Amino acid sequence: MIVLGIETSCDETAAAICSNGKILSNIVSQQLVHSKFGGVIPEIASREHELLLNQVVNRAMFESGTKLKELNAISVTQGPGLAGTLLTGISFAKGLGLGLGIPVVPVNHLEGHIFANFLANEKLEFPFVCLLVSGGHTQLWAIQNMSEYILLGETRDDAAGEAFDKGARILDLSYPGGPEIEKAAIGGNPEKVHFPRSLISKDSLEFSFSGLKTSLLYYMDDFKETKSIKLNDVIASYQKAIIDVLVEKVYRALSITGFKTCIIAGGVAANQSLRKELSSVLDSKEIIFPELSFCTDNAAMIGYVGELKLKNGNYESINFSVKPNLKLI
Ligand code: KG4
Ligand code: ZN
């Protein structure tokens, strides 16, 4: 089976070819136009997708050596995401699917992030804990099987990705903030500044990052670099405060569920310090991260889940619409 995956939920225009669980091509065009605004401008993002989709899909077809007539199906992100950007991908997919006479399968973007971990480890077995950490989500899930999910906890306010993005804005770094903070923290001492870790109560699996962001804002109000505290110390300390909370909650989730494996999904999973810290603190457990190119938004994960749904016969074709607020359950 050969499936074309299309992803346009935010500011990455992406297409990929997935065949029998293997990714044959994975093209992502990140819209750099937003970085000067410090965040994604929805109207501009939709126009950029509309402009780029044809080229990105053509490249994915070309790099995988696939001809249009060889495609068995198209899968496309239905939500969650920005309504206008999702519409561009869905309209493109429906037009192409109708023209080729093949099914068009809607995929939940969050399921895409979770199942990208099967691309990292084909032998991954249910059940497992999933830490879903992206620009819009910070959630802990018990994943029992495909479509059997139990929410263990989530953020009460900002998502971890937002803590990176908003922190970057306070620090005059560009968007997206995660990779910028990660770079700027290099060489800094993460123990220099004590930023708060909101752990809520002892067994809670909920998160809260808004106090941390406010604390950085106040700290930077009268911060001047000195010999003993450099800017990269502050940035490394801020990053560590986010990571410490994520690691502690994953530890708790594994203890509470008794599961042996945790997968990390979403853009923040690309963070190397998070990867190192989780692997070292939880060294008796199996911690799985997707390959870097499958952490942030991509269409490989959409093609992969689309193919699974087709194989299970579990999908609606063509008569579906955009769902900007789609949840996992
Ligand atoms: O999954 P994703 O690409 O898009 C959403 O579905 O939201 O996640 C984007 C988020 C952004 O907040 C971005 O700052 C963060 O992931 N991110 C990172 C890193 N790369 C992306 N955060 C920390 N470290 C990174 N290396
Ligand atoms: Zn995402």
Side-chain angles (χ1 to χ4, degrees), residues 143-187:
I143 311 284
Q144 315 266 21
N145 217 320
M146 188 158 192
S147 310
E148 267 182 64
Y149 313 132
I150 299 167
L151 183 63
L152 302 172
E154 65 184 330
T155 184
R156 291 179 175 181
D157 41 58
D158 291 346
E162 253 178 307
F164 276 103
D165 295 336
K166 291 180 177 171
R169 213 177 301 166
I170 295 168
L171 293 158
D172 270 336
L173 299 170
S174 57
Y175 177 88
E180 293 296 313
I181 288 194
E182 182 166 25
K183 254 186 276 157
I186 292 172

Side-chain angles (χ1 to χ4, degrees), residues 9-10 12 109-110 113 133-137 160-162 164-165 175-179 182 239 266-272 295-297:
S9 65
C10 193
E12 276 93 5
H109 180 83
L110 304 176
H113 276 306
V133 264
S134 67
H137 293 81
E162 253 178 307
F164 276 103
D165 295 336
Y175 177 88
E182 182 166 25
Q239 173 173 254
V268 180
N271 188 282
Q272 296 299 333
C295 287
T296 44
D297 288 350

Side-chain angles (χ1 to χ4, degrees), residues 9 40 42 93 139 146 161 169 241 276 309 317:
S9 65
V40 177
Q139 297 177 324
M146 188 158 192
R169 213 177 301 166
K276 269 191 221 130
K309 288 180 124 192
S317 183

